């Protein structure tokens, strides 16, 4: 997934609407700095001008494995330290999971096209957008536009 595409206002609004919902007015989020004090850099971060709305951390990843999930927790912790609010996390998975068994640790969201991860202590919500989950979603009558990103 191209960072340039993720910084487009229409894409930002689409992602925000899917993850935050109607509480977020259009154009209320913008791209924020993604370099952290430890020298690491995350892929994309959206923050809102409305201080009650959570930051949205986005990571694009080829394979999902334990190392990636630990890095995701580190990035979410950095977001929390900077904004004093746990982020909503979205990982856009471009290939798959390192092991099929690892994928079983995630649950399908109520929308049907995202996988959810247990994140109680490090993020407000954590979702993975995978090609497999999106292909299953295409069998539904009503499609979420964010499924096109998978």
């Amino acid at each position: 997934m191209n960072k340039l595409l993720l910084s487009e206002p229409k894409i930002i609004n689409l992602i925000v609407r899917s993850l935050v919902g109607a509480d977020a007015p259009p154009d209320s989020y913008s791209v924020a700095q993604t370099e952290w004090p430890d020298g690491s850099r995350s892929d994309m971060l959206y923050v809102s001008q409305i201080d009650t709305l959570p930051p949205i951390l986005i990571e694009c990843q080829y394979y999902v494995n334990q190392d990636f999930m630990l890095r995701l927790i580190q990035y979410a912790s950095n977001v929390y330290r900077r904004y004093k609010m746990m982020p909503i996390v979205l990982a856009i998975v471009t290939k798959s999971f390192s092991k099929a068994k690892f994928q079983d640790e995630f649950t399908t969201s109520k929308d049907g096209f995202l996988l959810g991860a247990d994140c109680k202590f490090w993020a407000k919500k954590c979702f993975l957008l995978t090609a497999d989950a999106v292909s299953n979603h295409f069998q539904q009558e009503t499609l979420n536009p964010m499924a096109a990103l998978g």
Side-chain angles (χ1 to χ4, degrees):
M1 177 67 47
N2 188 316
K3 290 182 191 180
L4 197 56
L5 180 64
L6 290 173
S7 63
E8 285 292 320
K10 285 183 180 182
I11 300 298
I12 294 171
N13 284 329
L14 181 129
I15 291 172
V16 167
R17 185 81 166 161
S18 293
L19 299 179
V20 178
D23 292 342
D27 303 319
S28 59
Y29 276 78
S30 58
V31 173
Q33 159 66 278
T34 59
E35 190 164 317
W36 305 108
D38 63 5
S40 64
R41 180 176 293 200
S42 50
D43 289 335
M44 186 61 62
L45 179 65
Y46 301 152
V47 294
S48 176
Q49 298 94 352
I50 302 169
D51 61 2
T52 57
L53 295 177
I56 299 173
L57 174 67
I58 301 173
E59 284 298 307
C60 301
Q61 182 69 17
Y62 188 70
Y63 276 113
V64 173
N65 58 20
Q66 186 67 43
D67 288 340
F68 170 70
M69 293 305 295
L70 291 171
R71 195 167 57 250
L72 205 57
I73 292 169
Q74 177 186 350
Y75 293 155
S77 297
N78 286 332
V79 172
Y80 178 79
R81 280 190 283 281
R82 183 178 290 168
Y83 296 100
K84 305 300 181 227
M85 187 180 297
M86 287 197 285
I88 295 174
V89 176
L90 174 65
I92 300 172
V93 182
T94 58
K95 180 67 175 163
S96 64
F97 291 85
S98 59
K99 297 176 184 167
K101 189 169 180 105
F102 193 71
Q103 184 172 350
D104 295 341
E105 298 298 320
F106 301 89
T107 58
T108 304
S109 70
K110 63 182 176 180
D111 295 334
F113 71 98
L114 293 171
L115 297 178
D118 186 20
C119 61
K120 187 176 185 176
F121 298 105
W122 57 272
K124 184 173 180 149
K125 299 176 195 171
C126 179
F127 297 109
L128 286 81
L129 180 63
T130 68
D132 288 341
V134 168
S135 67
N136 293 336
H137 179 67
F138 285 134
Q139 298 169 8
Q140 297 182 9
E141 286 182 36
T142 307
L143 298 177
N144 186 308
M146 196 167 91
L149 295 176

